[in-house]
Amino acid sequence: MPVTKISFGAFTLNLETRQLLAGERQVHLTPKAFELLRALIVDRPKVLSKAMLQDTLWPDTTVIEANLANLVAELRAALGDQARAPVFIRTAHGYGYAFCGEAAELAAEKSAGPDRARCWLEWGRLRFPLPDGAHVMGRDADVDVQLDAATVSRRHARIVVSDKGMLLEDLESKNGTFRGEERVTAPVALANGDAIRIGSLKVTFFVRSAETPTETLEV
C-alpha cells in the first residue's frame, strides 16, 4: 500500500496532509522547508546534491545558494538538530545534504478517511494536495500553495474544494490567473487535467478517482 506517513525520532511526516507532527503537536514548516524534508527523507540515506535540491524546490527559477542553506537551517531548527552533530540532516560538504536518521514508513489505510485529499496541484516535481476547503496560492510564506516566482502575487489566486465541485478564482493578482487560455475574472469550475497559469507559472490540476494511481508522491 502507498506510504503516506514517515516516522522518525519524535516526529511523524504526513505526506498527504503536508504536516510535520511532534506527537500531537504540529511543527510549523514553510512550504519550501516541507518539500526539502520530504525530498531528503524519501531518498534517504542518499546524498542529494545542491543542484538537484534547487531544481526540485525552485523549478525553472535561478536562485542563490544561500536560499537552500537558509531552508536547511530552518529545517534543523524545527527538528532541534545541529549541523555539527546531526541526528537527522547531514551536510555532505561541497556537495549537498542527506537524511541520516532512522525512519519507518507507514502504509496508507485502505479506506479513504475524511482528510484524504480529493484533488491536487502539480508544479514541476512538486505536488500540493488540496483537501476540502479554500486554498490560497501565491508567494507569501503562509499561503497553502507557495509558488516562489516574481510574476506571482503574494496572494494570487484561490481554489475552493467541496462536495459541490472545485472552483478557481483570481484574488486581484497583478499578472492574472488563467484556466487554459481563458483569463479568470470570476470563479470558474475546474476539471481533471486542467492547466492553470499563475503569473508566468504553469501548474496542473488533478482530481482523484478510482483509477488514479496513488502509490508515490514524486520528489
Side-chain angles (χ1 to χ4, degrees):
M1 288 191 293
V3 173
T4 59
K5 296 180 181 179
I6 301 176
S7 175
F8 60 98
F11 301 97
T12 300
L13 185 69
N14 191 317
L15 300 178
E16 284 211 329
T17 63
R18 296 178 61 83
Q19 291 178 302
L20 175 65
L21 302 175
E24 298 297 322
R25 177 179 62 87
Q26 182 172 342
V27 180
H28 175 72
L29 289 178
T30 61
K32 294 292 188 189
F34 179 91
E35 293 299 338
L36 173 60
L37 178 57
R38 181 171 72 171
L40 292 173
I41 201 169
V42 167
D43 276 338
R44 67 187 186 282
K46 179 181 177 181
V47 178
L48 301 184
S49 70
K50 294 178 182 178
M52 181 184 297
L53 289 171
Q54 288 174 337
D55 183 59
T56 297
L57 297 168
W58 296 280
D60 303 319
T61 304
T62 301
V63 298
I64 60 175
E65 190 172 305
N67 286 4
L68 178 59
N70 290 338
L71 273 186
V72 172
E74 177 191 338
L75 196 52
R76 283 176 170 150
L79 298 175
D81 210 11
Q82 297 181 4
R84 293 186 178 182
V87 175
F88 301 118
I89 309 299
R90 176 174 69 87
T91 300
H93 294 287
Y95 185 77
Y97 302 93
F99 186 88
C100 58
E102 295 292 328
E105 299 179 352
L106 307 177
E109 298 178 359
K110 289 185 179 180
S111 59
D115 295 329
R116 186 179 176 89
R118 71 175 77 205
C119 51
W120 67 91
L121 288 175
E122 290 188 5
W123 174 38
R125 300 177 68 189
L126 301 183
R127 176 180 289 192
F128 301 91
L130 302 174
D132 286 9
H135 307 276
V136 175
M137 300 175 284
R139 281 197 349 260
D140 268 356
D142 63 347
V143 298
D144 304 288
V145 178
Q146 188 183 40
L147 303 172
D148 192 5
T151 60
V152 176
S153 299
R154 295 187 181 279
R155 300 177 69 83
H156 194 109
R158 176 169 55 202
I159 292 177
V160 179
V161 179
S162 71
D163 292 332
K164 298 180 180 179
M166 300 82 176
L167 295 177
L168 170 67
E169 56 185 315
D170 184 72
L171 297 180
E172 299 182 354
S173 64
K174 180 179 180 181
N175 293 310
T177 301
F178 295 79
R179 182 190 60 181
E181 298 301 320
E182 173 192 4
R183 182 158 188 162
V184 176
T185 57
V188 296
L190 289 173
N192 185 46
D194 274 348
I196 301 172
R197 180 152 58 87
I198 307 294
S200 64
L201 298 185
K202 292 183 179 180
V203 300
T204 307
F205 177 80
F206 293 97
V207 178
R208 189 182 303 281
S209 68
E211 292 77 26
T212 302
T214 60
E215 279 73 17
T216 61
L217 290 177
E218 186 179 19
V219 296

